[in-house]
Amino acid sequence: MSTATRQTRRSELELYFDRTAVEAWKRLTSDAPVGYVRAQVRAGRDEMRATLLAWLPKDMRGLRLLDAGCGTGALAIEAARRGADVLAIDISQTLVDLARERTPRDLGAGRVTFAVGDMLDASLGQFDHVVAMDSLIHYVGDDIIHTLSGLAQRTKGSIVFTIAPRTPALTLLWIIGRMFPRKDRAPAIEPIAQSQLEKLMIAHSALADWSVHNSKRVSRSFYISQAVEIKRS
C-alpha cells in the first residue's frame, strides 16, 4: 500500500462523514425513525457491535482499549461500562463531536477519551485490545494488512475488526452503488475473502504469529459484514 493511496482514501472518508452524510449518519446511529433500508443497516450494525463486544472480556477493569474508527461512540461507551479505559479515535471531527455529546456522564469504573486522528499514530501508546468496526471495509487487502500490522505491534491481546466479505450479494450492492452520481456515493467498500486475508497475514512478517480465532458474518439485507478476531498463536 502506498502512503498516498491511504491518504487519498482517508480524505474521501473524512469528507463523506464530515459533510456529505452528516444528517443521515446522525439519524442512522440514533433511535429516530428511518426507512426500510436504513433500518436494516441499523439492525445489522447493532448485531455486529454485539458480536464484537461478545469477543471482549466481560470485565475490562484495568484494560486499555483502542476503538479504531469509533464513529458516534456506541461501542466505546459499552466497553467503558465494562470498566475499560477506552481511547476512541476517528478521522471525522463531526462524528467525534457527536460521540462526545452522546456519552453519558456516569460510565461506572471505565472512561472514554475521544480523539480525532489516525489509528496508526504510535503516540497513542499500547493497548490490551483493539476494535475496528466497519472502519477497514473501505480499504483493499494490502491496506488492511498494513493497518493490522501497525496495530499488532501495539496490542497485547486481541484485535477484533470487520471486513467486507466477497459475496454475490455484496458484489451486486457494490455495482448498484457505482450507478449513483459520484457526488451522491458513499466511499466504496472493498470486498475481500477471509481466506485471502489469512494468506496475506501469513505472508506479512509482523502478522506471521497472529491467526484467526473467531469469525462471524452478519447479513441484514443492505448490511453485510464479516467479524474477525485475531490473536497471537
Side-chain angles (χ1 to χ4, degrees), residues 46-191:
D46 289 347
E47 182 179 348
M48 178 57 74
R49 187 184 313 111
T51 297
L52 300 182
L53 284 166
W55 293 346
L56 296 174
K58 292 183 179 179
D59 185 350
M60 298 190 71
R61 287 175 292 183
L63 299 179
R64 191 164 188 246
L65 173 74
L66 175 65
D67 186 356
C70 65
T72 55
L75 190 149
I77 291 169
E78 290 304 313
R81 283 174 171 155
R82 296 185 184 186
D85 179 3
V86 183
L87 175 58
I89 192 166
D90 203 283
I91 60 174
S92 168
Q93 181 71 62
T94 300
L95 293 183
V96 168
D97 288 344
L98 184 58
R100 288 194 180 106
E101 291 176 10
R102 291 181 175 180
T103 301
R105 291 181 178 274
D106 184 10
L107 291 173
R111 68 173 184 172
V112 181
T113 302
F114 289 103
V116 178
D118 189 338
M119 65 177 75
L120 293 183
D121 184 351
S123 69
L124 300 178
Q126 300 287 320
F127 299 92
D128 295 286
H129 300 277
V130 173
V131 178
M133 176 177 158
D134 291 350
S135 54
L136 303 182
I137 61 174
H138 302 287
Y139 297 92
V140 297
D142 287 343
D143 298 14
I144 295 173
I145 292 300
H146 174 82
T147 301
L148 292 178
S149 65
L151 294 173
Q153 296 175 50
R154 296 184 286 117
T155 305
K156 300 175 184 176
S158 64
I159 303 175
V160 294
F161 60 99
T162 60
I163 58 175
R166 191 177 295 280
T167 67
L170 193 58
T171 299
L172 178 60
L173 290 177
W174 182 84
I175 292 172
I176 292 173
R178 297 290 293 179
M179 296 171 64
F180 286 96
R182 183 171 295 276
K183 66 181 180 63
D184 296 329
R185 294 180 197 165
I189 57 173
E190 298 290 349

